[in-house]
Amino acid sequence: SEPFLNLLCQGMVFKNGSKMSKSKGNTVEPNEVIDQYGADALRMFILFAAPPDQSFEWSDQGLQGSSRFLNRIWRLVQEHKDSGIKKKWNFVQSNKEVITLRSKTHRTLQKVKDDFLRRYSFNTAIASIMELTNAIPKHFISKEAPDAEKSAVDEALKSILIMLSPIVPHITHKLWKDLEEKKAIIDASWPEVEKG
């Protein structure tokens, strides 16, 4: 009998229609990619390109897209920090936009957890996190925004960082500290999902 319960075989990486290999001379030098885009962007691109058991075609544009998304998360956290972080706000008397963002945050947490633990579908997890990022209203991130809106953004951004941390650990560690969290993100618990 096999010494494990499950086996997940990885797909191959292709470039210009051929399997990447040193003998064909069509490999991508990881250190050059990391120097230009960072290890987190490279890891995110590989996990986003296809499910782990399927092959995928290398794409410089895809790598650049991952880098742009991480830069966007960086900017959102800095803008939120500059606008004044509000934590643990009472959402009882929240407006419709706050309720919508909080609902999207909790549905995404539930879906990504399932993608990670049951489906091993990291590409769809990343797509869901991108959708949540796009759902944060711009006017929620300003000094003039009401406390409930700032707190909903705080909840959404911290959830995004926790969901991204297994994929892009370096940037999420730094941004977690920027959001005034005392313990490291690796020690943070997965947020409890609120139904509704």
Side-chain angles (χ1 to χ4, degrees), residues 73-83 174-175 178:
I73 297 289
W74 181 278
R75 283 192 307 276
L76 280 172
V77 168
Q78 302 314 316
E79 289 168 8
H80 174 59
K81 185 177 158 190
D82 293 344
S83 73
K174 167 71 171 90
L175 294 177
D178 287 350

Side-chain angles (χ1 to χ4, degrees), residues 27 32 62 64 71 76 81-82 91 107 131 145 148 194:
T27 59
E32 290 175 12
Q64 291 162 7
N71 285 330
L76 280 172
K81 185 177 158 190
D82 293 344
F91 291 106
R107 285 194 320 271
E131 286 177 20
E194 293 181 15

Side-chain angles (χ1 to χ4, degrees), residues 1-154:
S1 63
E2 300 292 352
F4 43 77
L5 297 175
N6 294 306
L7 173 64
L8 178 66
C9 294
Q10 290 177 253
M12 303 299 294
V13 181
F14 289 83
K15 188 176 179 190
N16 301 325
S18 299
K19 184 179 87 169
M20 265 197 202
S21 71
K22 287 184 181 179
S23 64
K24 291 183 181 175
N26 66 348
T27 59
V28 173
E29 178 55 49
N31 288 336
E32 290 175 12
V33 173
I34 290 168
D35 287 345
Q36 186 170 1
Y37 296 102
D40 281 344
L42 175 58
R43 192 171 14 252
M44 174 176 259
F45 162 66
I46 290 170
L47 292 174
F48 185 55
D53 58 339
Q54 292 181 17
S55 299
F56 72 92
E57 180 77 20
W58 180 265
S59 164
D60 290 335
Q61 291 81 14
L63 180 59
Q64 291 162 7
S66 292
S67 180
R68 279 194 305 273
F69 175 69
L70 294 178
N71 285 330
R72 180 157 183 241
I73 297 289
W74 181 278
R75 283 192 307 276
L76 280 172
V77 168
Q78 302 314 316
E79 289 168 8
H80 174 59
K81 185 177 158 190
D82 293 344
S83 73
I85 296 172
K86 295 290 178 196
K87 303 180 186 185
K88 308 292 184 190
W89 184 255
N90 181 350
F91 291 106
V92 174
Q93 304 248 332
S94 298
N95 65 37
K96 188 176 179 184
E97 280 186 301
V98 168
I99 292 167
T100 300
L101 177 58
R102 293 199 70 234
S103 176
K104 178 76 171 168
T105 298
H106 288 270
R107 285 194 320 271
T108 304
L109 282 165
Q110 187 169 10
K111 182 185 181 309
V112 169
K113 184 176 182 179
D114 185 57
D115 284 344
F116 280 171
L117 299 180
R118 185 180 65 84
R119 298 178 62 225
Y120 304 116
S121 184
F122 309 114
N123 58 323
T124 59
I126 294 168
S128 297
I129 296 166
M130 289 176 171
E131 286 177 20
L132 173 59
T133 304
N134 292 335
I136 298 174
K138 289 184 180 178
H139 60 276
F140 276 28
I141 305 177
S142 73
K143 288 185 172 146
E144 296 74 35
D147 287 349
E149 292 179 1
K150 289 182 183 182
S151 190
V153 169
D154 196 66

